[in-house]
Amino acid sequence: MIKKIEDLLVENGEISQSQLNWAKLRHNETGLPLYKILIQEGLVTEDKYFVNLSKIYDKDFIRLDPSVVNRELLNSLPRELLEKYNFIPLEKTIDGIKIATYDPSNFFMFQEIEQLTGYKSDFCITNVSSLLSVKKSLGIGYSKSDEIEKLRDISLDDVAVRLKEGYSTDEVAVDEDLENYDVAQNDAPVVVLVNKLIYDAVKSGATDIHIECFEFFIKVRYRIDGILFKVMEIEKNAQEAVVTRLKIMSDLDITERFIPQDGRFKMKIMESNVDFRITFLPSMYGQNISIRIFNKKNTPLAFEDIGISENFRTIIMDNLKKHYGLVLTVGPTGSGKTTTLYTMLNRINSEDIKIVTIEDPVEYRIEGIHQIQVKINREDPKKSLTFAGGLKAILRQDPNVIMIGEIRDRETAEIAINAALTGHLVFSTIHANTTVEVISRLKHLGINHELISDALSLIIAQRLVRKVCDECRGNVEKIGGCSKCKNTGYSGRTGIFELLQIDDKIKEMIAKDEPGVFIRKYAQTLPYWKSLEMDADIKMKTGLINSEEVERLII
């Protein structure tokens, strides 16, 4: 008895039993062939499915292309036979012909070939996409509607219509390279929809995608330049399909509906490798989805490009010349902290120092810097690479400079402080609203105030605000609008900064555990001092930002 392909896939570890059970349930609900569900939902790649199928039948697996087709044999076969069944003739054999097919269990196909041609058939296995591609190139079963479309050439409205109408073709699974993704080569409209939403979000410069479930519809919004914009509404019936697709892409449990889940996936878009971190939050009307976009840029910006003023640059450069100490950037999520860290690292990157980073995720790639990605092993947490665990290993690599993506807990904070005290220049981010609040944040994590005093070198607090569009800058008090800024009046963002240089007086105040309000009062007497609000006010007066952004920052 021939083993079932799905059982072999589980046996070989290509899919899990729970994934197979879910696919069977979908098969019963939709009537779609099991192989289509497994492939279109990304549970197994097309090649892996059909390679395993060839093993079951003890036949060769080949990828078809027009050059292997026997044209003379092809032309001798009845046209209706070629159009009715999914096979391509390859060669004559002693007893008949050899064909390529992805459907070897179709008894009627082999029977009808023999009845209409007199040939008995031997076969090899190919995949769906290559067989249909060859048939299309030969004009077999081809129509104008089969023309290939790219994601960039279709609209979200068009995708929504296809989703509603059940648009489907019999072709391939998802490709991670969205720039070259063929819309017409996918038989799941929800896959096209998800890919289109991701592609458009990256292309528009969005930092986040929000897919939100309401009683009668799903709302999709992008966060661009810090502001949420509604993109589209999706019919409620597509909700579970969208959630399932994104969970499969993120390697999460698709059967779990009542517990929050976190995951990640990668894609290539516009020649850039993009990381996505995704969270699922159950709500009254379904699972809300938030996707953070990390576009791996090749080159960080210069200080002047991210909005750091000249006198602040001088202070930063003085601290970068030191051989030890802790430099922290602070602010809420999405305030550009990591970009500032990379800008500083890029300034000191040279052959005579060793720089090692540990990040989650790696947002920029810099030649000459050793960059480590945090990795969480959900099945065995002991095998995870955490900030704290990675930092311990980094210190054994004899680095000069260390960058930690974020200080989140006491263990990481303690290691960072000790590294700064033992001859390393350490950079990191931490969540706090202002420079002075960092001190209380570190104490809250359990760090001794005297150690904080000895280790801290510089704190940079920052926010990101929208810049007035160059074409609309005529009146900084009134938002304009043009094609360049899509009638928003804004184009791009710049940083608003506040610096606290840890001089001897501040070190003494921290060591004595004086309240932060006294430290800030002293800092305000220093010549370089500018609060976040003061820096914003200066940028407003130059016309770079407008009063609305200053008010939003203060609120």
Side-chain angles (χ1 to χ4, degrees):
M1 183 176 180
I2 297 178
K3 182 182 292 186
K4 292 183 177 180
I5 175 62
E6 56 264 34
D7 294 333
L8 183 62
L9 290 171
V10 172
E11 183 181 306
N12 290 345
E14 304 291 0
I15 59 173
S16 66
Q17 186 62 51
S18 62
Q19 288 173 325
L20 175 59
N21 293 341
W22 176 86
K24 286 181 176 179
L25 181 63
R26 288 282 292 162
H27 166 67
N28 293 333
E29 291 174 347
T30 64
L32 286 172
L34 190 62
Y35 83 86
K36 286 188 180 182
I37 295 171
L38 292 171
I39 293 172
Q40 73 185 33
E41 296 296 352
L43 296 175
V44 67
T45 66
E46 189 183 22
D47 273 2
K48 282 184 179 179
Y49 182 92
F50 288 104
V51 165
N52 278 276
L53 185 65
S54 69
K55 292 176 181 177
I56 285 179
Y57 286 92
D58 194 24
K59 298 292 184 178
D60 292 333
F61 170 81
I62 68 167
R63 291 184 186 85
L64 278 179
D65 65 73
S67 65
V68 302
V69 178
N70 186 320
R71 301 300 179 100
E72 182 180 350
L73 180 58
L74 179 78
N75 292 332
S76 69
L77 299 180
R79 185 78 177 186
E80 63 271 18
L81 188 62
L82 293 167
E83 293 187 347
K84 184 177 181 180
Y85 294 110
N86 287 307
F87 77 95
I88 287 290
L90 299 178
E91 60 184 7
K92 288 185 177 180
T93 63
I94 296 174
D95 297 327
I97 60 172
K98 186 173 185 179
I99 65 171
T101 183
Y102 62 79
D103 191 18
S105 63
N106 191 335
F107 167 78
F108 298 104
M109 175 177 68
F110 293 103
Q111 184 182 56
E112 197 162 341
I113 290 174
E114 184 172 0
Q115 288 176 348
L116 293 179
T117 68
Y119 295 137
K120 290 186 176 180
S121 307
D122 190 13
F123 66 94
C124 61
I125 301 294
T126 188
N127 59 32
V128 175
S129 58
S130 65
L131 189 142
L132 294 179
S133 178
V134 168
K135 288 185 75 172
K136 181 176 178 179
S137 69
L138 298 171
I140 300 172
Y142 169 73
S143 67
K144 185 71 176 177
S145 62
D146 293 321
E147 287 184 348
I148 291 174
E149 296 175 279
K150 301 292 185 184
L151 284 176
R152 60 179 176 268
D153 300 324
I154 62 172
S155 68
L156 275 171
D157 289 340
D158 184 32
V159 177
V161 168
R162 296 181 185 189
L163 183 69
K164 190 173 183 179
E165 293 178 352
Y167 171 81
S168 176
T169 62
D170 291 334
E171 305 206 12
V172 304
V174 175
D175 192 330
E176 289 186 353
D177 184 356
L178 291 195
E179 197 66 30
N180 296 310
Y181 176 80
D182 292 337
V183 174
Q185 284 193 345
N186 205 291
D187 58 354
V190 69
V191 173
V192 179
L193 172 69
V194 168
N195 285 347
K196 178 62 176 174
L197 287 173
I198 291 170
Y199 179 83
D200 282 3
V202 174
K203 192 174 181 180
S204 65
T207 56
D208 302 85
I209 305 170
H210 294 268
I211 302 174
E212 301 159 320
C213 299
F214 294 93
E215 186 174 5
F216 302 112
F217 61 90
I218 308 166
K219 182 191 292 183
V220 180
R221 296 191 289 175
Y222 293 163
R223 188 179 295 278
I224 301 173
D225 291 340
I227 305 296
L228 283 171
F229 295 91
K230 180 181 174 181
V231 177
M232 71 181 303
E233 289 184 0
I234 303 172
E235 61 179 76
K236 188 69 173 178
N237 290 339
Q239 179 173 304
E240 287 305 313
V242 171
V243 170
T244 298
R245 177 60 193 163
L246 284 165
K247 283 192 177 184
I248 287 170
M249 292 169 65
S250 312
D251 194 25
L252 296 175
D253 184 356
I254 56 181
T255 64
E256 180 55 68
R257 299 182 179 184
F258 306 108
I259 296 176
Q261 291 177 280
D262 297 317
R264 64 186 64 212
F265 58 94
K266 297 180 181 180
M267 283 186 165
K268 185 177 180 182
I269 302 172
M270 296 186 295
E271 301 303 319
S272 180
N273 293 314
V274 184
D275 278 334
F276 300 86
R277 285 195 297 190
I278 186 168
T279 62
F280 295 83
L281 181 65
S283 72
M284 184 175 179
Y285 296 116
Q287 299 177 71
N288 289 322
I289 304 167
S290 179
I291 306 172
R292 171 60 58 86
I293 301 170
F294 295 93
N295 201 339
K296 295 182 179 179
K297 308 172 186 70
N298 293 319
T299 308
L301 299 169
F303 285 130
E304 54 270 24
D305 291 331
I306 61 176
I308 295 180
S309 61
E310 188 173 350
N311 64 324
F312 278 3
R313 272 179 256 160
T314 301
I315 295 170
I316 292 172
M317 288 306 301
D318 287 342
N319 281 271
L320 296 183
K321 293 174 184 176
K322 296 179 179 179
H323 298 293
Y324 61 90
L326 178 60
V327 177
L328 294 175
T329 60
V330 303
T333 300
S335 58
K337 301 185 296 293
T338 304
T339 299
T340 300
L341 288 184
Y342 269 109
T343 304
M344 291 189 285
L345 289 181
N346 198 47
R347 292 298 293 265
I348 62 175
N349 186 19
S350 63
E351 289 289 339
D352 58 342
I353 65 171
K354 182 173 182 176
I355 304 175
V356 185
T357 76
I358 181 162
E359 309 164 62
D360 184 25
V362 175
E363 293 186 40
Y364 295 88
R365 304 288 180 88
I366 305 180
E367 187 176 349
I369 293 181
H370 306 281
Q371 297 171 271
I372 301 168
Q373 169 77 52
V374 167
K375 293 187 182 297
I376 304 300
N377 189 317
R378 295 187 183 89
E379 296 181 359
D380 187 355
K382 293 180 181 179
K383 294 182 180 180
S384 296
L385 176 59
T386 63
F387 279 118
L391 192 48
K392 290 176 183 177
I394 288 171
L395 288 170
R396 294 192 289 268
Q397 289 283 312
D398 189 30
N400 300 98
V401 178
I402 302 168
M403 194 269 268
I404 309 162
E406 183 181 353
I407 293 176
R408 300 175 178 173
D409 51 54
R410 178 174 181 172
E411 185 180 10
T412 304
E414 286 179 339
I415 299 171
I417 292 283
N418 288 330
L421 293 173
T422 54
H424 303 88
L425 186 57
V426 181
F427 297 86
S428 190
T429 71
I430 193 168
H431 281 291
N433 290 317
T434 66
T435 53
V436 175
E437 285 182 19
V438 170
I439 299 164
S440 58
R441 172 67 175 150
L442 287 170
K443 287 191 287 188
H444 179 74
L445 287 175
I447 307 300
N448 180 275
H449 53 86
E450 292 182 347
L451 290 177
I452 297 172
S453 170
D454 291 337
L456 268 182
S457 176
L458 177 69
I459 307 172
I460 305 172
Q462 63 184 92
R463 302 289 189 274
L464 283 177
V465 295
R466 293 178 295 173
K467 294 191 296 182
V468 175
C469 174
D470 291 338
E471 303 296 328
C472 306
R473 195 176 288 186
N475 185 345
V476 298
E477 294 297 332
K478 184 178 181 181
I479 297 178
C482 64
S483 58
K484 178 182 177 183
C485 63
K486 298 179 181 178
N487 296 316
T488 64
Y490 300 99
S491 180
R493 290 191 287 178
T494 189
I496 303 297
F497 297 90
E498 175 183 296
L499 264 66
L500 184 65
Q501 167 75 34
I502 310 301
D503 60 17
D504 291 340
K505 176 64 176 176
I506 295 177
K507 283 182 176 292
E508 181 183 346
M509 297 175 79
I510 296 173
K512 291 180 179 179
D513 204 16
E514 293 190 22
V517 65
F518 294 158
I519 297 174
R520 188 172 185 85
K521 188 174 181 180
Y522 164 74
Q524 290 170 344
T525 68
L526 299 172
Y528 69 81
W529 175 261
K530 281 188 300 185
S531 66
L532 288 165
E533 294 80 9
M534 292 167 65
D535 194 34
D537 189 59
I538 291 171
K539 289 181 169 68
M540 184 189 71
K541 289 175 179 177
T542 64
L544 187 64
I545 64 176
N546 62 21
S547 58
E548 183 178 312
E549 287 299 282
V550 176
E551 290 169 4
R552 190 167 66 88
L553 174 69
I554 294 173
I555 293 170

